[in-house]
Amino acid sequence: MPKIVDEQMREATRRHIIHQAASEFARLGFDQANINTIAEQAGIGKGTIYLYFENKRELFLAMLRLIAQEHIAAIRTALAQDGTIEQRLEWLFGAFARLAQQERDSFNVYMSALYGVNRSFQAEATRLLRDYVTTIALLLEQSQARGEIECSDVEATALMILSLTESYILSAIVLGQSEQKILSQANLISKLVLKGLLPSS
Amino acid sequence: MPKIVDEQMREATRRHIIHQAASEFARLGFDQANINTIAEQAGIGKGTIYLYFENKRELFLAMLRLIAQEHIAAIRTALAQDGTIEQRLEWLFGAFARLAQQERDSFNVYMSALYGVNRSFQAEATRLLRDYVTTIALLLEQSQARGEIECSDVEATALMILSLTESYILSAIVLGQSEQKILSQANLISKLVLKGLLPSS
Amino acid sequence: MPKIVDEQMREATRRHIIHQAASEFARLGFDQANINTIAEQAGIGKGTIYLYFENKRELFLAMLRLIAQEHIAAIRTALAQDGTIEQRLEWLFGAFARLAQQERDSFNVYMSALYGVNRSFQAEATRLLRDYVTTIALLLEQSQARGEIECSDVEATALMILSLTESYILSAIVLGQSEQKILSQANLISKLVLKGLLPSS
Amino acid sequence: MPKIVDEQMREATRRHIIHQAASEFARLGFDQANINTIAEQAGIGKGTIYLYFENKRELFLAMLRLIAQEHIAAIRTALAQDGTIEQRLEWLFGAFARLAQQERDSFNVYMSALYGVNRSFQAEATRLLRDYVTTIALLLEQSQARGEIECSDVEATALMILSLTESYILSAIVLGQSEQKILSQANLISKLVLKGLLPSS
DNA sequence: TATGAATGAGACTTCATTCAT
DNA sequence: GATGAATGAAGTCTCATTCAT
């Protein structure tokens, strides 16, 4: 069964390359990042990268997909536990805040892909955006079923929550606020959202 | 006084170049945009650009500054009229929605600068972000003075409103929603915000 | 005696590789042909080729030698039967025409080696050229002994016949003439040559 | 009128590059020839070549076209004077012999293009082939009009003469014969051809 | 013996910037 | 001041060859 070992090795190398690439792409962006440098940092030959990825663009996309997987997994984990809607919204916010701080590279890459000009990158990043929305929409539906909230357009509301959460955190980071300060807003945000979603009666 | 005329000419040419550059930068991003193409589209010689801007980077920054001026002016105009806080929040949302749709190029450039990886571009885009926050904070303070709302941390709340507004619109656009649909959310958003900010009684 | 079997196997594999290589070299030329593709088409590993040939160049030369052997054998076979000089010249022309059409790949390879710029390839192709000339010279000497023709410089005349035959066919092919049309010139050509070589009386 | 001077300069540089390129292409072939080296030998910057030619392939084709022009001009000049058909055939042979020796580079390049595998190069080289055939066909028609020769298929005969001439010379060169020796065959060749074309009566 | 993953030299081409006109 | 021809650094990608398994 050397096949399996080889497959594992191959996958490991693939991930290793993606990891190093992510660091470079996050630091310099797609165009400024240098395949040579990525190879060096990955401790492999220049040509080796092309055994794993068709070209620079595909490497970037593969990295984007990996980031998306990891982020969506982190968010799902944060929402896995049961709890009141308020708690869960706070967890969501906290999960995003942690991702944005601890995985700043991935976050930068993801955001620049989402709001950058390269359409194929944007398309890939958009998929993650959709996954986020779906995950949050599920959360809202569960809460609605329990009568905790009242929500006419679940999709739109989910998007609103995501936008608020994600963008708030990013803006705060860009404006130089500390993780401490950002996390302390979790309660404020979730309260704000809830007030807007509470059964009006 | 040919000096002044010359100065005016020079400024006019400068703006003309920036304008053409904006179109290219928005379409292709900083790295992919081509100085030669920009010069052609501006109807001037390639070398002439270097009489007005030190290099490509400075041209980009100048463009970023111009965009920022235009956007902040649009927002201020939208909030210039008096009105209830609910109305003014709707206007704010509408102004952003219109900018994002009608000035999509500038918006793309601004967003990719803000969330991109080039620090000096980010710094410039951040200034616009600060201006936005300040403008909204002013709005909140006025409303608070009138007793319309109650708000403990004006800065944070302003950031929250900006984030919610801007990010909601961008996400919606990226997800392919029509301008119609987006504008129809204006009321929902402003209500949501207000509920969260209303005196708790 | 596994040694002999192994030797036979080795030789068989060698020929197999050369055969596949010929197809690629004919299609793409020496530089554009790809060792990897050749290996794939031969159904062996890339490294295996280097167990049979020192490098790409040697593989090409080996192929050139094989082509030369096959071609010269075809020509000799065509001239093996006895006949009048006119008949034999027609057979010669026919043999070349058939080679050029049916073994177009080898012909291309041979011609590009002969008239190409790589000196070592040219040297190898030249050997085939010499063999051709020698074979035709032999034919002429036999005819001269029989008094069919009169020929002062056998070598030069042989070269002339070869040139006329080979080049006429190639030019005709390049100009898009059908095999039919080309073969129909066999009689014309041999008559032309004969008139030039006939005893002047 | 700097336009005309510039046009002339541009054309001069263009020819200069083509000239240097021809030397490299003749020495190494299309694939092995190096744009860097060509630029160096032309005494210009690497990028400058791309101001005159779209890419390596186009440079090669431009060179091929220039060679074709020069060669066909040389042949036409050789046939410009009036004379008997025998004389003119000898001049033709001589012109080819001189071209093949003195412009050996161009001849190599042209032949490798004609018999190489790159179809677009072949197409270009074929055009020269056709021009040759046309020129020779004209010669034959003139002679036929004068009753010097009798020729049923002028095109085919022209091709035959060209093939014989060109290929004989090239083979002779490849086989290492001196220019002296080759030129001394002119009479033999033209006699051979004429015998074949003389009115049979 | 056979393999094919890894390598890295090397090639083409682009494009921001300069500078002579 | 305006120009655009010239430059050459730099970057992506290919592919012949090696070598550990």
Side-chain angles (χ1 to χ4, degrees):
Chain A
M1 282 158 290
K3 193 71 177 296
I4 288 172
V5 171
D6 281 11
E7 273 306 310
Q8 284 178 346
M9 274 294 284
R10 192 179 163 76
E11 186 55 27
T13 305
R14 219 185 105 93
R15 275 172 187 272
H16 180 61
I17 294 172
I18 287 183
H19 210 72
Q20 302 301 324
S23 148
E24 276 302 283
F25 283 133
R27 197 163 61 86
L28 299 169
F30 177 76
D31 290 288
Q32 292 290 330
N34 183 310
I35 288 282
N36 270 24
T37 308
I38 292 174
E40 269 171 39
Q41 286 182 358
I44 59 174
K46 202 192 321 182
T48 308
I49 287 187
Y50 291 89
L51 297 179
Y52 290 86
F53 305 93
E54 210 167 332
N55 50 41
K56 195 186 184 185
R57 215 180 69 92
E58 288 302 321
L59 170 56
F60 189 85
L61 283 173
M63 178 206 60
L64 224 46
R65 282 181 210 113
L66 194 65
I67 288 176
Q69 277 175 30
E70 290 174 357
H71 286 201
I72 201 73
I75 298 305
R76 287 209 176 112
T77 302
L79 300 181
Q81 282 187 69
D82 218 2
T84 68
I85 180 70
E86 187 173 343
Q87 282 175 313
R88 298 179 89 187
L89 284 177
E90 281 185 40
W91 293 337
L92 179 71
F93 187 89
F96 267 111
R98 238 169 294 122
L99 273 180
Q101 299 271 359
Q102 286 161 26
E103 309 275 328
R104 191 160 179 183
D105 277 1
S106 331
F107 239 83
N108 264 336
V109 167
Y110 166 66
M111 292 306 292
S112 57
L114 188 61
Y115 294 123
V117 291
N118 193 316
R119 298 287 154 171
S120 57
F121 296 165
Q122 207 171 78
E124 196 57 45
T126 301
R127 265 176 234 172
L128 177 54
L129 192 60
R130 279 186 217 285
D131 279 348
Y132 280 157
V133 170
T134 307
T135 303
I136 298 173
L138 199 70
L139 176 71
L140 292 178
E141 273 160 16
Q142 291 172 356
S143 280
Q144 197 163 22
R146 293 192 210 154
E148 284 179 324
I149 58 170
E150 179 178 284
C151 183
S152 57
D153 187 341
V154 172
E155 280 279 318
T157 311
L159 179 55
M160 203 156 54
I161 291 172
L162 173 64
S163 302
L164 181 53
T165 305
E166 196 174 43
S167 162
Y168 183 89
I169 289 165
L170 277 165
S171 303
I173 289 175
V174 164
L175 290 178
Q177 295 184 8
S178 70
E179 189 173 3
Q180 196 75 27
K181 163 97 182 174
I182 294 171
L183 282 173
S184 74
Q185 308 293 338
N187 195 256
L188 180 67
I189 297 278
S190 75
K191 281 239 167 55
L192 169 63
V193 170
L194 277 181
K195 269 198 191 168
L197 301 177
L198 268 176
S200 36
S201 74
Chain B
M1 285 165 288
K3 193 75 176 295
I4 287 172
V5 172
D6 282 9
E7 271 307 310
Q8 284 178 344
M9 274 293 287
R10 193 176 161 78
E11 186 54 26
T13 305
R14 224 185 98 93
R15 276 176 183 270
H16 181 60
I17 294 171
I18 288 182
H19 205 70
Q20 302 302 323
S23 147
E24 276 303 283
F25 282 133
R27 198 164 60 86
L28 299 169
F30 177 75
D31 289 289
Q32 293 291 329
N34 184 313
I35 287 282
N36 204 13
T37 308
I38 292 173
E40 269 171 36
Q41 286 182 359
I44 60 172
K46 203 187 328 179
T48 308
I49 289 186
Y50 289 86
L51 298 177
Y52 291 86
F53 304 93
E54 204 172 336
N55 52 37
K56 195 185 184 185
R57 216 178 68 92
E58 287 304 321
L59 170 57
F60 188 85
L61 283 173
M63 177 206 62
L64 223 46
R65 281 180 213 116
L66 195 64
I67 287 177
Q69 279 174 29
E70 290 172 358
H71 285 202
I72 202 72
I75 298 304
R76 288 211 175 110
T77 302
L79 300 182
Q81 282 186 68
D82 217 3
T84 68
I85 180 69
E86 186 173 343
Q87 281 176 316
R88 298 180 89 188
L89 284 177
E90 280 186 41
W91 293 338
L92 178 71
F93 187 89
F96 267 112
R98 240 171 292 122
L99 272 180
Q101 300 268 359
Q102 286 160 26
E103 309 276 328
R104 192 162 179 180
D105 277 1
S106 345
F107 238 83
N108 264 333
V109 168
Y110 165 66
M111 292 305 293
S112 56
L114 187 60
Y115 295 126
V117 291
N118 193 315
R119 299 289 153 170
S120 56
F121 297 164
Q122 206 172 76
E124 195 57 46
T126 302
R127 267 177 232 169
L128 176 54
L129 192 60
R130 279 187 217 283
D131 280 349
Y132 280 156
V133 171
T134 307
T135 303
I136 297 172
L138 199 69
L139 175 71
L140 292 178
E141 272 160 15
Q142 290 172 357
S143 280
Q144 199 164 21
R146 293 190 209 154
E148 285 180 322
I149 58 171
E150 176 179 288
C151 184
S152 57
D153 186 339
V154 172
E155 280 280 318
T157 309
L159 180 54
M160 201 158 55
I161 291 173
L162 173 64
S163 301
L164 182 53
T165 305
E166 196 175 44
S167 159
Y168 183 90
I169 289 166
L170 275 166
S171 305
I173 289 174
V174 165
L175 290 179
Q177 294 184 9
S178 70
E179 188 172 2
Q180 196 76 27
K181 163 98 182 174
I182 294 171
L183 282 172
S184 74
Q185 308 292 338
N187 195 253
L188 181 67
I189 297 279
S190 73
K191 282 238 168 57
L192 169 62
V193 170
L194 281 180
K195 267 196 193 172
L197 302 177
L198 269 176
S200 36
S201 76
Chain C
M1 284 164 291
K3 191 74 175 295
I4 288 171
V5 172
D6 280 10
E7 270 308 310
Q8 285 178 345
M9 274 294 286
R10 192 177 162 77
E11 186 54 27
T13 304
R14 224 184 99 93
R15 276 175 183 271
H16 181 61
I17 294 172
I18 288 182
H19 205 71
Q20 302 302 323
S23 148
E24 276 303 283
F25 282 133
R27 199 164 61 85
L28 300 170
F30 177 75
D31 289 288
Q32 293 290 329
N34 183 312
I35 287 282
N36 205 12
T37 308
I38 292 173
E40 268 171 37
Q41 286 181 359
I44 59 172
K46 202 188 327 181
T48 309
I49 289 186
Y50 289 86
L51 298 177
Y52 290 86
F53 305 93
E54 205 171 334
N55 51 38
K56 195 186 185 185
R57 215 178 68 92
E58 288 303 321
L59 170 57
F60 188 84
L61 283 173
M63 178 206 61
L64 223 47
R65 281 180 212 116
L66 195 63
I67 287 177
Q69 278 174 29
E70 290 173 357
H71 284 201
I72 202 72
I75 297 304
R76 288 208 174 114
T77 301
L79 300 181
Q81 283 187 68
D82 218 2
T84 68
I85 180 69
E86 186 174 343
Q87 281 176 316
R88 298 179 91 188
L89 285 177
E90 280 185 40
W91 293 338
L92 179 72
F93 186 89
F96 267 111
R98 240 171 291 123
L99 273 181
Q101 300 269 359
Q102 287 160 25
E103 308 276 327
R104 191 162 179 180
D105 278 0
S106 343
F107 238 84
N108 264 334
V109 169
Y110 166 65
M111 293 304 293
S112 56
L114 188 60
Y115 296 126
V117 291
N118 192 314
R119 298 289 152 169
S120 57
F121 297 165
Q122 206 172 75
E124 195 56 45
T126 302
R127 266 176 233 171
L128 176 54
L129 192 60
R130 280 188 216 283
D131 280 347
Y132 280 155
V133 171
T134 307
T135 303
I136 297 173
L138 200 68
L139 175 71
L140 292 177
E141 274 160 16
Q142 290 172 357
S143 281
Q144 199 163 21
R146 292 191 210 154
E148 285 179 324
I149 58 170
E150 178 178 286
C151 184
S152 57
D153 186 339
V154 172
E155 281 280 317
T157 311
L159 180 55
M160 201 159 55
I161 291 173
L162 174 63
S163 302
L164 182 54
T165 305
E166 196 174 43
S167 159
Y168 183 89
I169 290 165
L170 275 166
S171 304
I173 289 174
V174 165
L175 290 179
Q177 294 183 9
S178 71
E179 188 173 2
Q180 196 76 25
K181 164 98 181 174
I182 294 172
L183 281 173
S184 75
Q185 308 291 339
N187 194 254
L188 180 68
I189 298 279
S190 72
K191 281 237 168 60
L192 169 63
V193 169
L194 280 180
K195 266 195 194 171
L197 303 177
L198 269 177
S200 34
S201 76
Chain D
M1 283 157 288
K3 192 72 177 295
I4 287 171
V5 172
D6 281 10
E7 273 306 310
Q8 284 178 346
M9 273 294 284
R10 192 179 161 76
E11 187 54 27
T13 305
R14 219 185 105 94
R15 274 172 187 272
H16 180 60
I17 294 172
I18 287 183
H19 210 70
Q20 303 301 323
S23 148
E24 275 303 283
F25 283 134
R27 197 163 63 85
L28 299 169
F30 177 76
D31 290 288
Q32 291 291 330
N34 184 310
I35 288 281
N36 268 25
T37 309
I38 292 174
E40 269 171 39
Q41 287 184 357
I44 59 173
K46 203 189 321 180
T48 309
I49 287 187
Y50 291 88
L51 297 179
Y52 291 85
F53 304 93
E54 209 168 331
N55 51 39
K56 194 186 185 185
R57 214 180 70 92
E58 288 303 321
L59 170 56
F60 189 85
L61 283 173
M63 177 206 61
L64 223 47
R65 281 181 212 114
L66 194 64
I67 288 177
Q69 278 175 30
E70 291 173 356
H71 286 201
I72 201 72
I75 298 305
R76 287 210 175 112
T77 302
L79 300 181
Q81 283 187 70
D82 217 3
T84 68
I85 180 71
E86 187 172 343
Q87 282 175 315
R88 298 180 90 189
L89 284 178
E90 280 185 42
W91 293 338
L92 178 71
F93 187 88
F96 267 111
R98 240 169 292 122
L99 272 181
Q101 299 270 358
Q102 287 161 25
E103 309 275 329
R104 191 161 179 180
D105 277 1
S106 331
F107 239 83
N108 265 335
V109 168
Y110 165 66
M111 293 305 294
S112 57
L114 188 60
Y115 294 124
V117 291
N118 192 316
R119 298 287 153 171
S120 57
F121 296 166
Q122 208 170 76
E124 196 57 45
T126 302
R127 264 177 234 173
L128 177 54
L129 192 61
R130 279 186 217 284
D131 279 348
Y132 280 156
V133 170
T134 306
T135 303
I136 298 173
L138 199 70
L139 176 70
L140 292 177
E141 273 160 16
Q142 291 172 356
S143 281
Q144 198 164 21
R146 294 192 209 154
E148 286 180 322
I149 58 169
E150 177 178 285
C151 183
S152 57
D153 187 339
V154 171
E155 281 279 317
T157 310
L159 179 55
M160 202 158 54
I161 291 172
L162 172 64
S163 303
L164 181 53
T165 306
E166 196 174 44
S167 162
Y168 183 90
I169 290 165
L170 277 165
S171 304
I173 289 175
V174 165
L175 289 178
Q177 295 184 9
S178 70
E179 188 172 3
Q180 194 77 26
K181 163 98 183 172
I182 294 172
L183 281 172
S184 74
Q185 309 293 339
N187 194 255
L188 181 67
I189 297 277
S190 74
K191 281 239 166 57
L192 169 63
V193 168
L194 278 181
K195 270 197 189 169
L197 302 177
L198 270 175
S200 34
S201 73

